[in-house]
Amino acid sequence: MWPPTLDQITFDLMCRDSRDYALSHGLVMRNDSEPNDNIVFQMPITLFPSPFPRRLYDCARAIQPHVNTLMQRIATDLEFMRTSLEGVMKVDDFTRKIFEINETVEREGRAQPIIGCISRSDYMLHATKCEYDVDGQVPKCRIGLRQVEVNAIAASLASSSMNIAQMHQYLMRKYQLIDVPQLESRFPANDGSRLVANGLIKAWDLYAKASAIILVVTENRSMNFSDQRIIEQLVHMQRPDIAMTRCRFTDLLDCISLGPNRELLFHKRTEVAVVYYRHCYDPSDYNFDGAWDMRLQLERSRAIKYPSSNFHLSGVKKFQQILNDQMQLERFLDADAALLLSRVFCRLWPLGFDDEGNAAYEMAMKHSKQNLVLKPQREGGGHNIYGEAIKPFLHNIKQHESRNQYILMEYINSPTTNNWLLTYDNSPVLEQGDLMVAELGIYGCVLTNGSSDSAELINETGGYLVRSKRFGVNEGGVVGGYGGLSSLYLVDDELGDATLTDGYFSV
Ligand code: ADP
Ligand code: MG
């Protein structure tokens, strides 16, 4: 049974232990309500790891190399990008501007042929095929995997994820909640921060200039600084010869320039080998004079970018909708990979003014009750429209060109499990656990020499993220305050480890 039954004393001890572990191992964030950067708050976390079918975790990992390749193929097919994003760009200035930057860089000829992307592909569990047992009593469902989206820029929480996986293992051992021999098979290794650090190191090595640095582009105030710092520390521990500097995007205005061979110069002297964006994915990040020129300058430079503008664009949700089935995918992937990937796709629809878009519009007006999500081309949480709110929203934009920037997605019907969410200011109650929904993220890193048929210099998969949110909460981000960080507890559902009844996933 999962989570195991606890008495009150153990529950209280475990809650305190979890919080203290979080506070002492970098599972902390800054908070808007506290302007002092030296005061941090415990990240929202779950008391227990989240059960997840092993076969689906394995499946998500097996898919990731193909996701990496797919993104690379999209990124290097300018014509496909142009035709696919045409409608979106008419009404979405942000996507258009990134596209124009990419076009300028392509037209001028890339100073740096190597392009890179550190990404995270997100999935939820989906309860499918409900049928009744012979005696007609127990509804038996099957759980499948559905891809939510791919984050192509600033994919976060790889380090925090590693820490919480260790925290959960520590608690399970300390409170003897799991047999030690089971630990390894239940808790997969989580090395996402190593994947990111290695990706940065590899790019730096390929740039091949000993005095050049890695530049981390940050927000004005890094709320989730610890996740980023741990990656920097890993790079430094592994390679003390590599210098790494953080700089706020706004401050870069005064300190970057291009050298005669389009070297990116930091404070006119130091050459930048690698730019690692932990920012610059939301339109509001560019709300100051010179922001777009600066992004163009970074892209024009010889530095290797994580991600380059074309990789950044490859994460746009419109591509998810266009490449929504095996046939479309075969344009970029071989048949086996396309089949594997298409099996985890949700149904998606465009909302343009052609027949397909009009049919989708009418369908949403009829059926939007609970089973659809409306998404614009954005990253970072808080932009989607769910369920019953879709109808009035669509009604307002029926004749408006802005319809083009949205896609409709089938609502993923995730099974719930029991857990306790610990925020920095709540008081969980043993008898009132939270019904929670888990979301899995798999990290990938790809570096290629930039042509569409290029050999990938690296194509790696490593580490995972689990975010769990209370049932009924639509959005899912930890930093945005929607859910808590969690870790995996793998179960073999096909062997009877887990069952699903009425949307509840019991172990
Ligand atoms: P963003 O780029 O803003 O992170 P996402 O597509 O990841 O946008 O959606 C945000 C959150 O909304 C997800 O983390 C997930 O919790 C929820 N969500 C997104 N798509 C669906 C869906 N089709 N069904 C159910 N929940 C969804
Ligand atoms: Mg997301």
Side-chain angles (χ1 to χ4, degrees):
M1 181 167 119
W2 196 263
T5 310
L6 300 178
D7 59 45
Q8 185 67 49
I9 293 173
T10 314
F11 177 75
D12 291 343
L13 284 172
M14 271 186 75
C15 288
R16 187 65 259 158
D17 227 335
S18 302
R19 294 183 189 287
D20 287 349
Y21 190 103
L23 291 168
S24 56
H25 286 76
L27 289 167
V28 293
M29 294 193 305
R30 296 192 174 114
N31 186 313
D32 277 335
S33 68
E34 174 50 69
N36 184 343
D37 273 358
N38 301 328
I39 297 177
V40 292
F41 296 79
Q42 173 224 304
M43 267 186 191
I45 53 175
T46 61
L47 186 62
F48 282 94
S50 303
F52 204 90
R54 184 188 308 277
R55 66 186 165 88
L56 298 179
Y57 169 67
D58 289 344
C59 170
R61 280 184 60 89
I63 286 172
Q64 189 57 37
H66 306 305
V67 173
N68 289 343
T69 300
L70 177 63
M71 292 168 80
Q72 183 243 320
R73 302 260 160 87
I74 296 172
T76 48
D77 191 335
L78 199 59
E79 205 36 52
F80 172 73
M81 272 212 248
R82 181 181 293 111
T83 45
S84 307
L85 296 180
E86 215 164 33
V88 170
M89 286 194 291
K90 280 189 196 146
V91 280
D92 178 352
D93 285 348
F94 181 73
T95 306
R96 183 177 49 77
K97 282 180 172 153
I98 305 279
F99 184 85
E100 284 170 358
I101 285 177
N102 190 55
E103 232 180 7
T104 305
V105 172
E106 292 281 345
R107 198 173 49 243
E108 292 175 353
R110 285 187 185 276
Q112 176 54 259
I114 298 173
I115 55 170
C117 188
I118 293 166
S119 67
R120 199 190 66 226
S121 183
D122 291 339
Y123 303 88
M124 291 170 90
L125 296 174
H126 184 58
T128 49
K129 282 195 203 155
C130 257
E131 47 193 57
Y132 283 85
D133 228 354
V134 203
D135 60 6
Q137 296 297 311
V138 191
K140 282 221 166 160
C141 303
R142 189 163 165 77
I143 306 177
L145 195 66
R146 290 289 180 275
Q147 188 181 51
V148 175
E149 64 152 350
V150 183
N151 303 278
I153 180 166
S156 66
L157 293 171
S159 319
S160 310
S161 266
M162 188 182 69
N163 279 345
I164 193 161
Q166 282 163 4
M167 179 192 102
H168 281 144
Q169 288 190 42
Y170 157 74
L171 290 173
M172 297 306 105
R173 281 171 194 264
K174 175 167 175 179
Y175 293 93
Q176 299 182 354
L177 296 170
I178 180 170
D179 292 342
V180 172
Q182 277 203 34
L183 269 171
E184 225 166 86
S185 84
R186 296 288 191 194
F187 299 102
N190 195 354
D191 51 1
S193 49
R194 271 189 203 288
L195 172 107
V196 180
N198 289 344
L200 295 171
I201 291 170
K202 177 77 181 175
W204 187 88
D205 282 339
L206 286 165
Y207 194 85
K209 179 153 188 176
S211 61
I213 64 168
I214 298 175
L215 176 68
V216 187
V217 179
T218 70
E219 316 94 297
N220 279 346
R221 188 166 187 235
S222 291
M223 306 313 244
N224 182 22
F225 68 99
S226 65
D227 183 57
Q228 302 172 14
R229 285 294 198 184
I230 290 168
I231 289 162
E232 290 172 40
Q233 289 152 15
L234 277 175
V235 172
H236 287 305
M237 292 303 283
Q238 218 170 309
R239 291 288 297 272
D241 56 318
I242 301 178
M244 204 164 170
T245 302
R246 294 167 68 80
C247 188
R248 300 196 274 186
F249 188 46
T250 44
D251 293 344
L252 276 182
L253 260 185
D254 302 322
C255 48
I256 57 161
S257 54
L258 292 188
N261 296 313
R262 287 192 267 169
E263 306 91 334
L264 181 61
L265 300 175
F266 190 59
H267 291 299
K268 299 209 167 75
R269 291 181 306 274
T270 313
E271 195 166 330
V272 177
V274 182
V275 174
Y276 175 35
Y277 292 103
R278 289 299 299 248
H279 188 58
C280 301
Y281 52 84
D282 191 82
S284 62
D285 301 343
Y286 296 79
N287 275 348
F288 61 97
D289 285 346
W292 285 105
D293 285 345
M294 202 159 57
R295 178 78 196 262
L296 175 61
Q297 201 162 13
L298 292 169
E299 296 301 323
R300 265 184 176 144
S301 77
R302 277 195 59 208
I304 298 172
K305 274 78 63 180
Y306 274 121
S308 51
S309 49
N310 50 358
F311 258 128
H312 181 174
L313 284 166
S314 74
V316 165
K317 293 178 172 75
K318 186 72 188 169
F319 296 126
Q320 220 184 335
Q321 175 255 308
I322 290 176
L323 300 172
N324 191 229
D325 60 40
Q326 191 187 349
M327 244 170 56
Q328 294 298 329
L329 277 176
E330 282 184 26
R331 174 185 192 130
F332 292 118
L333 296 174
D334 65 45
D336 289 346
L339 177 65
L340 206 62
L341 229 75
S342 63
R343 282 194 179 137
V344 300
F345 285 172
C346 285
R347 283 184 298 162
L348 289 147
W349 299 267
L351 272 172
F353 291 91
D354 54 5
D355 289 350
E356 205 186 354
N358 286 333
Y361 181 92
E362 293 307 326
M363 181 268 298
M365 293 306 279
K366 273 197 198 120
H367 303 293
S368 67
K369 249 194 156 176
Q370 274 309 325
N371 52 8
L372 291 171
V373 184
L374 183 64
K375 295 188 177 187
Q377 313 301 310
R378 287 288 165 275
E379 303 229 29
H383 304 289
N384 300 340
I385 296 161
Y386 298 84
E388 299 200 9
I390 293 177
K391 225 167 156 171
F393 185 88
L394 279 183
H395 181 73
N396 281 339
I397 60 165
K398 182 171 186 182
Q399 306 296 349
H400 202 274
E401 275 222 295
S402 66
R403 235 175 78 176
N404 275 302
Q405 68 178 307
Y406 291 93
I407 57 166
L408 272 173
M409 188 172 188
E410 165 192 13
Y411 190 83
I412 303 169
N413 179 28
S414 270
T416 56
T417 54
N418 217 346
N419 211 325
W420 286 266
L421 187 63
L422 309 183
T423 63
Y424 73 86
D425 59 353
N426 75 342
S427 312
V429 176
L430 173 61
E431 296 80 18
Q432 291 167 22
D434 295 300
L435 268 188
M436 302 194 77
V437 165
E439 192 166 344
L440 174 73
I442 299 287
Y443 294 92
C445 180
V446 61
L447 264 181
T448 87
N449 68 12
S451 60
S452 57
D453 55 352
S454 67
E456 286 150 351
L457 302 166
I458 59 174
N459 177 345
E460 287 178 358
T461 299
Y464 71 81
L465 162 72
V466 179
R467 291 172 296 178
S468 285
K469 58 181 181 181
R470 289 195 179 101
F471 177 67
V473 172
N474 281 322
E475 294 281 337
V478 172
V479 180
Y482 302 110
L485 207 59
S486 191
S487 74
L488 285 175
Y489 175 80
L490 295 181
V491 297
D492 295 293
D493 56 341
E494 73 274 30
L495 300 177
D497 237 7
T499 53
L500 180 73
T501 43
D502 290 337
Y504 186 77
F505 185 33
S506 57
V507 179

